[in-house]
Amino acid sequence: MAIPRARADVMTRQSRCEFSSRSSRYRMYPIVIFDALRVKIRDADSRMVKNKAVYVALGVSRDGVREVLGLWIAGNEGAKFRLSVMNELKNRGVQDVLIAVVDGLKGFPDAITAAFPKATIQTCIVHLVRHSLNFCAWKDRHVVASDPRRI
């Protein structure tokens, strides 16, 4: 059964509004992971498919329950956008984050500490290893990349 495009657009808008206005289940998250996924999205204006970043905030509760705190698509990746993400999380009821795991983008630690001053910033180990590979020769990457896997 096919859903008409107009109905699908209405359903998408409704679910997006419900998701963005929902409050978080927990007030404090020991760990929150901030990362971006690169996905192909059809641009509404030009009708062309473009690669865009979808930012994800994944909270891990004291009980080990993982919860997607939010998904954001932004045209730019500036400091204002990152700060608005942190403020939106605070407005939804997240009062404290103990460890914020980020991918190393500039400005992210500043935005996190502005909203959650006691948060400890930790760079994701996967991003650290990937970045460290930039400093070795291409022919040695396979050997160098296999060593951290044992850790």
Side-chain angles (χ1 to χ4, degrees), residues 1 4 16-17 19 25-26 28 40-41 46 51 73 80 102 104 106-107 127:
M1 180 175 137
R16 190 180 307 154
C17 289
F19 186 81
R25 208 178 328 173
Y26 304 99
M28 190 274 296
K40 293 186 181 295
I41 297 177
S46 65
N51 284 331
I73 299 174
K80 284 184 180 180
V102 296
K106 293 180 182 176
H127 289 90

Side-chain angles (χ1 to χ4, degrees), residues 2-139:
I3 298 174
R5 182 169 177 79
R7 177 70 179 138
D9 289 345
V10 170
M11 290 169 52
T12 303
R13 267 188 251 111
Q14 286 175 346
S15 62
R16 190 180 307 154
C17 289
E18 288 172 15
F19 186 81
S20 65
S21 65
R22 78 181 173 111
S23 61
S24 68
R25 208 178 328 173
Y26 304 99
R27 292 178 164 209
M28 190 274 296
Y29 288 91
I31 300 171
V32 177
I33 302 166
F34 298 99
D35 204 359
L37 304 168
R38 298 301 257 172
V39 296
K40 293 186 181 295
I41 297 177
R42 185 173 304 278
D43 190 26
D45 298 331
S46 65
R47 307 293 298 158
M48 293 177 61
V49 176
K50 296 180 181 179
N51 284 331
K52 291 198 176 188
V54 177
Y55 293 92
V56 180
L58 179 73
V60 181
S61 72
R62 285 183 245 170
D63 307 327
V65 176
R66 294 180 188 148
E67 179 180 351
V68 175
L69 301 177
L71 298 167
W72 297 270
I73 299 174
N76 60 357
E77 300 178 13
K80 284 184 180 180
F81 168 72
R82 293 184 188 108
L83 187 58
S84 71
V85 167
M86 297 305 134
N87 288 331
E88 184 177 329
L89 288 176
K90 281 197 76 96
N91 291 339
R92 287 191 192 173
V94 177
Q95 292 180 349
D96 197 13
V97 172
L98 299 182
I99 300 172
V101 181
V102 296
D103 54 5
L105 290 175
K106 293 180 182 176
F108 228 148
D110 297 333
I112 292 169
T113 53
F116 305 105
K118 296 180 182 178
T120 301
I121 310 299
Q122 171 67 47
T123 304
C124 175
I125 190 70
V126 173
H127 289 90
L128 283 175
V129 170
R130 194 180 301 154
H131 179 67
S132 68
L133 293 177
N134 293 337
F135 299 102
C136 70
W138 183 256
K139 63 181 180 176

